[in-house]
Amino acid sequence: RQNRHAPLNIAPQDVIAALEVGQIEIHYQPTINLRAAKSGSPVEALLRWRHPTFGVLTASEFLPTGPDPLVRRQLTDFALNNAVQQLRLWRDAGIDTPIAVNLETSLLNDVQFPKRLSLLIREFDVYANRLHLEISEQGVMSGTPETGQIIEALTDRDFRLSVDDFGASRISMQQVLLLPFAELKLSAGLIQLVARSER
């Protein structure tokens, strides 16, 4: 199929139905450390929908900005469960590869989320620091007073946190430095802007 970038007009209930019948799956995309490429570099968990009509869809195609947060939370739970089980499978096979998962923003308002995630990690007996949690820049900006506490709680439980898509909004570096993030991931738009600018 032709590569599409615009989201399709798909109803939230259709996404949930696809999840229930197993059409949505996780693909793992490798990342590369240009300073020291080695095994053990993290992979990123990406949602894909094997759609019967449109073929394999990326998340940006079937999850446009602003759908029902419940849909995003169910997909995040699906991704986290799959990632943790995959960590265990790889660990049993002698493979030490961290997995990064994008978090739905509303989870940063859920004070029980760090505990639930720790229980999942304990159930499959894997190390929390092998699960990297990516929080969008917009999610950091739009957080509630509990957001900072939840981020601190995740860090205290040894999860590694990243700011994703930095430069897409107007968050300041000072805001980022006030929270315990281990990594800053630049937005593609920012990189393209820098590449086009002589300054």
Side-chain angles (χ1 to χ4, degrees):
R1 70 183 176 89
Q2 291 183 336
N3 185 27
R4 291 183 299 267
H5 295 288
L8 298 167
N9 187 20
I10 295 176
Q13 58 267 27
D14 293 336
V15 178
I16 296 301
L19 187 60
E20 290 172 349
V21 299
Q23 291 177 353
I24 293 180
E25 55 198 27
I26 302 294
H27 290 193
Y28 293 102
Q29 175 176 278
T31 60
I32 299 172
N33 183 341
L34 294 177
R35 290 180 299 178
K38 60 181 180 179
S39 60
S41 294
V43 297
E44 187 168 358
L46 303 176
L47 289 166
R48 294 291 182 264
W49 182 356
R50 202 169 288 279
H51 196 283
T53 303
F54 301 118
V56 178
L57 301 178
T58 66
S60 61
E61 291 176 314
F62 68 85
L63 274 183
T65 304
D68 186 342
L70 181 61
V71 175
R72 286 185 176 271
R73 288 188 70 154
Q74 286 187 253
L75 289 168
T76 300
D77 285 344
F78 171 76
L80 287 169
N81 275 277
N82 274 267
V84 171
Q85 292 180 54
Q86 189 64 60
L87 283 172
R88 181 54 195 255
L89 290 171
W90 281 340
R91 178 184 164 188
D92 290 345
I95 301 170
D96 182 27
T97 300
I99 298 177
V101 177
N102 290 296
L103 288 188
E104 155 56 24
T105 300
S106 65
L107 287 170
L108 299 180
N109 304 328
D110 182 354
V111 294
Q112 294 301 316
F113 174 62
K115 181 179 179 180
R116 289 202 312 273
L117 191 55
S118 290
L119 290 173
L120 180 63
I121 286 287
R122 197 174 307 148
E123 178 185 351
F124 288 94
D125 192 24
V126 296
Y127 297 116
N129 64 8
R130 311 322 281 160
L131 185 63
H132 298 186
L133 305 174
E134 298 188 356
I135 302 169
S136 72
E137 181 189 70
Q138 188 61 42
V140 178
M141 288 183 63
S142 61
T144 65
E146 291 79 24
T147 298
Q149 298 172 21
I150 293 167
I151 289 173
E152 293 279 359
L154 289 167
T155 303
D156 290 345
R157 293 169 186 265
D158 212 21
F159 295 104
R160 180 184 169 97
L161 272 63
S162 304
V163 177
D164 194 20
D165 220 19
F166 181 79
S169 301
R170 295 187 178 181
I171 191 171
S172 71
M173 184 64 77
Q174 185 177 16
Q175 288 174 281
V176 172
L177 292 175
L178 289 173
L179 294 168
F181 292 106
E183 185 179 39
L184 197 65
K185 300 183 72 175
L186 303 181
S187 75
L190 179 61
I191 293 171
Q192 290 164 4
L193 180 65
V194 170
R196 292 193 303 266
S197 172
E198 290 186 9
R199 290 183 59 193

